[in-house]
Amino acid sequence: MSDPTPGLNSQQLGAYFALMEVSSLLQYAVEEHLRADGDLSYVQFEILARLVDASEGRLRMTDLADGLVYSRSGLTYQVGLLDKRGLITRSPSPDDERSVIVSVTAAGRDLIARVLPGHVDRVRQLLIEPMTGEDLTALGAILGRVRDHMRANPPRSAKPRAARNRTT
Amino acid sequence: MSDPTPGLNSQQLGAYFALMEVSSLLQYAVEEHLRADGDLSYVQFEILARLVDASEGRLRMTDLADGLVYSRSGLTYQVGLLDKRGLITRSPSPDDERSVIVSVTAAGRDLIARVLPGHVDRVRQLLIEPMTGEDLTALGAILGRVRDHMRANPPRSAKPRAARNRTT
DNA sequence: TATTGTTATACTCTATAACTATA
DNA sequence: TATAGTTATAGAGTATAACAATA
């Protein structure tokens, strides 16, 4: 027997919709800025930001792929674009000849440095400004817990089997 | 640690990152389910859900477009797909011959009814379950305020769709 | 054999601009 | 002229599968 799955109550629905709309608007605004100011997609920004953050400014492709929600081919595509623009370089790993080490270039660091202030401005203006200090603390704590829960229950493994429903 | 990102403190950054990651994972999970269970993209689901919610199950294209963050051509494309599948119909408006009325069909309602339980399950499992009742109340209230703020301050410097400036 | 990464390919989605028709 | 919607088109992005190289 399947569990009874009553719909969400209005409070739960409200939180869900608010989350989706807020993140959607924020994402839209942030992507618009990154594109206009640095000709970067959000994914590309994320890749560069991770590299800038990483020790010595380099990471293996696999490490990058694990952090993002992307397929490997998609990552190769995006990294290829960054490579063409001279924002990163790729080199074989000395430890493991199969691996590729991605490194930020000075140009890549410069671009992030140039784009970051405007990025932060948008985030502050849209997300931070309307919140009180208490709101901020609460939001960070709650979403932090939710994130941990989501990481522990990855949606991908929640549906390991591609068993398609037969025509009902 | 030195301040890595001038402008946002670690608490603000934490809330921002948590929001982006939570919404990203939730969006991913939900889209995966809708695709697998109903062969629907999230946009298509949103369109159908709005129509089901609307009075008499119909809305004008313009009303649909206003609710979503889409270009008109993008909406036409998606509605066209739904039309091909018999989930909606399009008819000229009696009031204004320029307008097109989009109506959900019985098949469209059936599909939403079939997909909704699984959709709700995912949302509950990922987002609702890890939160206490207090969390839920707080999250809804905070994000509701943020949403209102975002709506009031649309960062659309690059999308002057509405005729706000007539001196051009 | 398993893992790392690339490539070839096909497909979905989105936006811009030109277009029709109505107001 | 302005608005509602469609179409043509072009481009970005993504995933899958086949592939080569290394562990």
Side-chain angles (χ1 to χ4, degrees):
Chain A
M1 290 293 289
S2 57
D3 291 353
T5 56
L8 302 174
N9 64 38
S10 65
Q11 200 181 31
Q12 293 167 331
L13 261 188
Y16 169 46
F17 288 157
L19 175 70
M20 293 303 266
E21 186 168 351
V22 161
S23 62
S24 171
L25 290 172
L26 184 58
Q27 181 106 23
Y28 187 86
V30 151
E31 282 192 348
E32 185 183 62
H33 164 258
L34 289 174
R35 181 66 68 191
D37 212 30
D39 196 24
L40 287 174
S41 69
Y42 189 74
V43 191
Q44 291 165 1
F45 173 74
E46 261 190 304
I47 293 172
L48 284 180
R50 277 170 192 275
L51 289 173
V52 167
D53 240 32
S55 156
E56 304 180 34
R58 48 201 172 91
L59 288 171
R60 296 182 310 155
M61 288 290 287
T62 294
D63 299 327
L64 278 173
D66 287 350
L68 310 169
V69 199
Y70 278 44
S71 63
R72 287 170 176 253
S73 64
L75 180 60
T76 295
Y77 171 76
Q78 292 293 346
V79 166
L81 293 181
L82 296 175
D83 198 350
K84 275 182 195 164
R85 292 175 60 182
L87 302 173
I88 60 99
T89 58
R90 281 179 283 189
S91 54
S93 165
D95 305 332
D96 186 335
E97 284 292 327
R98 294 172 303 181
S99 290
V100 167
I101 302 274
V102 184
S103 309
V104 217
T105 63
R109 290 186 189 272
D110 287 352
L111 181 56
I112 289 297
R114 181 161 73 73
V115 155
L116 207 48
H119 181 80
V120 161
D121 278 351
R122 292 262 171 147
V123 173
R124 175 171 21 236
Q125 181 185 340
L126 289 172
L127 178 68
I128 306 295
E129 188 187 288
M131 289 195 287
T132 68
E134 285 183 1
D135 286 348
L136 189 64
T137 304
L139 187 72
I142 295 170
L143 289 181
R145 279 198 294 280
V146 174
R147 177 184 53 197
D148 293 344
H149 174 84
M150 285 180 170
R151 282 179 177 165
N153 302 22
R156 279 175 184 258
S157 31
K159 243 198 164 180
R161 287 174 298 178
R164 188 177 306 177
N165 285 348
R166 290 168 196 166
T167 322
T168 45
Chain B
M1 295 276 288
S2 60
D3 193 347
T5 56
L8 292 183
N9 63 39
S10 64
Q11 199 180 32
Q12 293 167 330
L13 262 187
Y16 169 46
F17 288 156
L19 175 70
M20 293 302 266
E21 187 169 350
V22 161
S23 62
S24 172
L25 289 172
L26 184 58
Q27 180 105 23
Y28 187 87
V30 151
E31 283 192 347
E32 186 185 58
H33 164 258
L34 290 175
R35 181 65 68 189
D37 211 29
D39 196 24
L40 287 174
S41 69
Y42 189 75
V43 191
Q44 291 165 0
F45 173 74
E46 260 190 304
I47 293 173
L48 285 181
R50 278 169 190 276
L51 289 173
V52 167
D53 240 32
S55 154
E56 304 179 35
R58 47 200 173 90
L59 289 171
R60 295 181 310 154
M61 288 290 286
T62 294
D63 300 326
L64 277 173
D66 287 350
L68 309 170
V69 199
Y70 277 47
S71 64
R72 288 173 175 253
S73 64
L75 180 60
T76 296
Y77 171 74
Q78 293 293 347
V79 167
L81 293 182
L82 296 175
D83 198 350
K84 275 182 195 163
R85 292 176 60 183
L87 302 173
I88 60 100
T89 59
R90 283 180 281 190
S91 55
S93 165
D95 306 331
D96 185 338
E97 285 290 328
R98 295 171 303 180
S99 290
V100 166
I101 302 272
V102 184
S103 308
V104 216
T105 63
R109 289 186 189 273
D110 287 351
L111 181 56
I112 289 296
R114 182 162 71 76
V115 154
L116 206 49
H119 181 80
V120 161
D121 276 352
R122 292 264 169 145
V123 173
R124 178 172 14 238
Q125 181 185 342
L126 288 172
L127 179 68
I128 305 297
E129 187 188 288
M131 289 194 288
T132 68
E134 286 183 0
D135 286 348
L136 189 64
T137 304
L139 187 72
I142 295 170
L143 289 182
R145 279 198 293 281
V146 174
R147 178 184 53 196
D148 293 343
H149 174 85
M150 285 178 170
R151 282 179 177 167
N153 301 24
R156 298 179 183 174
S157 341
K159 284 196 81 175
R161 181 70 176 174
R164 102 174 86 149
N165 191 357
R166 301 184 177 177
T167 56
T168 8

